[in-house]
Amino acid sequence: MSSPPGWFPDPVDPKLNRFWDGRQWTPQTRNKDSMTVSASPDKTKRVTWIVCGVAAAVVFLFAAIGGTASDEGTRSNNVQGYPYKAPTSSTPSITAPSVRPTPVPVAPAEQQVPPAQPTRDAPSQAGIGEAVRDGKFEFLVTAWDGETAQMTVTNIGDRPQSFAISAQYLYDVQQRRFEPEFEWDSDLAFADLNPGQSVSGAITFVLSGAVPDYLELHDSVFSGGVKVPLR
């Protein structure tokens, strides 16, 4: 025996009452605290038909627009012997458009340039009888007899400077280097010159048949030197 039409507790949500039309549950629900459970049969039938008509119109409208519903599941409940089929709903899935990463240009690696190696300054060049300078000394070669050079050395700096005979060289035409003979009695030996002071003396080379090309004179063993041609 089926129950007469009326409002009964919702078999899904206990906070609501759902209308039973005598054969099945309808979509109508109400808050349980704001209504009375009973209803007259005639009035209930009219309401049921109105509700069904509105529901059919809504379904027809969605069908005309082209909306489709996908079943997410069917729940069945037996409450007082009457089956209830919960309404289904579908939510369209939204797929975000794929975004391709923008390639970032890579700057070419800078070419590493090795630091320039320090080079020794090429000695400047002057002839016999012409004053030349290297560092804090000025040299004036006054004579050359093929083995011995007569010269005057002047301190042009602002502090005392020692003259080293061993730092003076002679090169022959084959670019071989010769060191001078050390003469203890020469005024140039162990000469310590104050600023502006000069000293004159002779430097002798043992060439053994070599053809001299030029002198290379230095204010120290670390200076670049200055050339004085002998030919």
Side-chain angles (χ1 to χ4, degrees):
M1 177 179 178
S2 62
S3 299
W7 294 93
F8 296 95
D10 192 318
V12 176
D13 190 348
K15 296 180 182 180
L16 302 175
N17 285 337
R18 187 175 295 275
F19 190 79
W20 173 260
D21 64 1
R23 293 177 301 170
Q24 62 182 0
W25 291 105
T26 67
Q28 291 180 284
T29 59
R30 290 186 181 180
N31 194 304
K32 184 180 292 187
D33 297 335
S34 62
M35 62 161 293
T36 304
V37 174
S38 62
S40 62
D42 294 339
K43 186 176 180 180
T44 300
K45 288 183 179 180
R46 288 196 301 271
V47 172
T48 300
W49 284 108
I50 293 173
V51 171
C52 291
V54 172
V58 172
V59 172
F60 177 79
L61 178 61
F62 275 100
I65 295 175
T68 59
S70 61
D71 292 338
E72 293 181 347
T74 304
R75 288 188 301 180
S76 298
N77 296 284
N78 281 326
V79 181
Q80 299 180 2
Y82 304 110
Y84 170 72
K85 186 175 181 180
T88 61
S89 63
S90 63
T91 302
S93 60
I94 300 175
T95 303
S98 61
V99 179
R100 293 184 178 180
T102 303
V104 179
V106 179
E110 295 183 0
Q111 184 177 2
Q112 298 295 329
V113 179
Q117 297 297 326
T119 57
R120 183 178 177 181
D121 294 336
S124 58
Q125 188 169 321
I128 295 175
E130 299 179 35
V132 293
R133 292 184 177 186
D134 180 65
K136 294 179 172 31
F137 282 152
E138 179 181 83
F139 303 93
L140 176 61
V141 179
T142 57
W144 169 253
D145 63 5
E147 289 185 349
T148 302
Q150 299 290 334
M151 68 177 65
T152 300
V153 181
T154 304
N155 184 352
I156 59 175
D158 57 1
R159 64 191 62 188
Q161 181 82 1
S162 296
F163 177 78
I165 291 179
S166 60
Q168 318 309 319
Y169 308 111
L170 180 146
Y171 285 82
D172 68 358
V173 293
Q174 299 179 36
Q175 292 304 298
R176 294 180 297 178
R177 188 174 74 177
F178 295 81
E179 292 185 353
E181 292 290 306
F182 190 85
E183 299 178 1
W184 294 92
D185 57 348
S186 173
D187 292 338
L188 297 176
F190 306 109
D192 293 324
L193 304 178
N194 288 317
Q197 185 178 359
S198 299
V199 62
S200 298
I203 297 179
T204 300
F205 298 87
V206 178
L207 300 179
S208 302
V211 179
D213 189 11
Y214 59 89
L215 293 173
E216 186 176 280
L217 306 177
H218 299 261
D219 87 328
S220 71
V221 294
F222 305 106
S223 67
V226 61
K227 285 184 179 181
V228 177
L230 299 174
R231 297 192 304 148

